[in-house]
Amino acid sequence: MVEQSDILKALQAEQDWHKAFIFTSNKEVIVSNNGSLKPEEVEFYTNAFNDRDTTVGEGFFVDGEHFDVHRFHPPLIYGRRGGPDDGEGIALARVKPNNPKGEESHWFLLITYLLPILSAKAVPQMVKFCEANIGNTANE
């Protein structure tokens, strides 16, 4: 079983990510790196895969910053905010955890990444991180 401290160390080792959060389908934040999520944000993310129109229409929020969602491909959703000089990307992965507790059906990894990092680099890193540290990202 992977310990929280080991997961946090692994998150901190991901130098291309600006912020990172892992939380469960029970809305428990397991670890966070370089930020915090409000309870209503966690609630939205745990339901983000349920309705494409709502998720793409409303976008994502982290620390009051709005991100447009432009890709909805379960088990991954991603988007960005800002322009070509100050952009920031965001990505959410839904994971079948290796070691669920109780009634947890999924864990989620949410990351943000600053330019010049793009989704073409960050999203594959995210999938690799999930599979190495927390579970399987294959869509069920």
Side-chain angles (χ1 to χ4, degrees):
M1 181 171 162
V2 178
E3 298 293 326
Q4 275 182 283
S5 61
D6 294 333
I7 294 173
L8 180 58
K9 286 177 190 173
L11 280 180
Q12 291 169 334
E14 293 292 339
Q15 296 298 310
D16 291 335
W17 302 350
H18 182 230
K19 297 178 182 179
F21 312 91
I22 297 174
F23 48 93
T24 73
S25 54
N26 294 339
K27 300 162 190 67
E28 175 191 355
V29 177
I30 302 291
V31 292
S32 61
N33 187 39
N34 199 26
S36 62
L37 292 174
K38 298 174 184 168
E40 60 271 17
E41 292 170 342
V42 175
E43 174 81 28
F44 186 84
Y45 292 127
T46 59
N47 293 304
F49 293 91
N50 296 344
D51 184 358
R52 180 192 185 282
D53 291 340
T54 299
T55 301
V56 173
E58 293 185 17
F60 287 161
F61 285 88
V62 175
D63 291 333
E65 294 281 350
H66 179 259
F67 293 79
D68 293 321
V69 170
H70 56 79
R71 293 289 183 264
F72 187 94
H73 299 292
L76 303 166
I77 301 172
Y78 47 101
R80 63 174 288 134
R81 69 167 192 84
D85 297 322
D86 65 346
E88 184 173 13
I90 191 166
L92 176 67
R94 180 177 61 189
V95 180
K96 275 294 222 192
N98 291 332
N99 298 299
K101 295 183 280 180
E103 299 295 316
E104 295 171 349
S105 59
H106 295 96
W107 284 15
F108 300 86
L109 171 60
L110 177 72
I111 65 169
T112 68
Y113 43 94
L114 301 171
L115 285 174
I117 306 303
L118 301 173
S119 61
K121 182 176 185 183
V123 171
Q125 288 175 333
M126 183 179 184
V127 170
K128 185 176 178 181
F129 177 92
C130 289
E131 292 174 354
N133 295 285
I134 58 177
N136 186 350
T137 58
N139 195 27
E140 63 254 35

